[in-house]
Amino acid sequence: MLSPTEAFKTKECIFCKIVSGTLPSEKVYENDNVFAFRDISPQAPVHILIVPKKHITDVLDVSVSDSAVFQNLFQAAQQIAAKLGIAGSGFRTVFNSGDHACQTMYHLHLHLLGGTQMGGSLVG
Ligand code: 5GP
Ligand code: ZN
């Protein structure tokens, strides 16, 4: 049972709506715990967002009881990288949390970026 706060967040959250199918997305992967889809404004030839189906706000909001979710996020990253042909060439995975990281969507998401040679700077 969701608390009233959680229920409100879930109702308003775009990524929760994508997970439930209320909003469309270009799905690339799904399992019991996570859902992955193409970023609407890709910053690399391959730019996928992998999100927990459960509403988690950001890295600070992750708890020990979410360990299966986290395992699934990384399993999804491995499988998607293989499926989209970037496992061999390499890819970048990023979680943004909060203002300094320019987080804009407050439903935890793992960016999976690849398909091009990226620069070495992570903070540019
Ligand atoms: P953040 O800046 O929070 O780490 O990343 C949010 C990402 O979500 C951005 O890369 C942005 O392009 C993507 N995004 C925002 N709204 C939507 C949407 O409605 N659909 C999809 N597929 N991606 C979105
Ligand atoms: Zn959400």
Side-chain angles (χ1 to χ4, degrees):
M1 181 76 176
L2 294 175
S3 71
T5 313
E6 283 302 312
F8 175 76
K9 279 189 206 163
T10 304
K11 207 171 148 215
E12 297 301 311
C13 173
I14 286 174
F15 285 0
C16 281
K17 289 180 182 169
I18 286 177
V19 168
S20 69
T22 313
L23 283 178
S25 71
E26 212 179 317
K27 179 171 104 171
V28 296
Y29 179 89
E30 180 176 12
N31 72 20
D32 284 349
N33 289 315
V34 303
F35 190 91
F37 51 98
R38 290 189 189 274
D39 195 292
I40 203 167
S41 180
Q43 296 186 38
V46 176
H47 187 170
I48 308 299
L49 301 173
I50 311 170
V51 307
K53 288 186 170 177
K54 170 188 172 187
H55 183 93
I56 297 173
T57 306
D58 59 18
V59 167
L60 293 172
D61 191 32
V62 174
S63 70
V64 175
S65 62
D66 295 321
S67 62
V69 172
F70 255 68
Q71 223 174 344
N72 279 258
L73 283 175
F74 285 102
Q75 262 170 11
Q78 292 170 348
Q79 294 193 22
I80 294 164
K83 182 172 155 185
L84 300 184
I86 57 167
S89 50
F91 55 90
R92 184 165 283 163
T93 41
V94 178
F95 288 108
N96 288 323
S97 283
D99 289 346
H100 276 192
C102 299
Q103 183 178 11
T104 57
M105 300 303 286
Y106 283 83
H107 178 130
L108 184 77
H109 48 282
L110 181 59
H111 291 265
L112 171 63
L113 298 139
T116 189
Q117 178 62 58
M118 284 172 262
S121 171
L122 291 175
V123 293

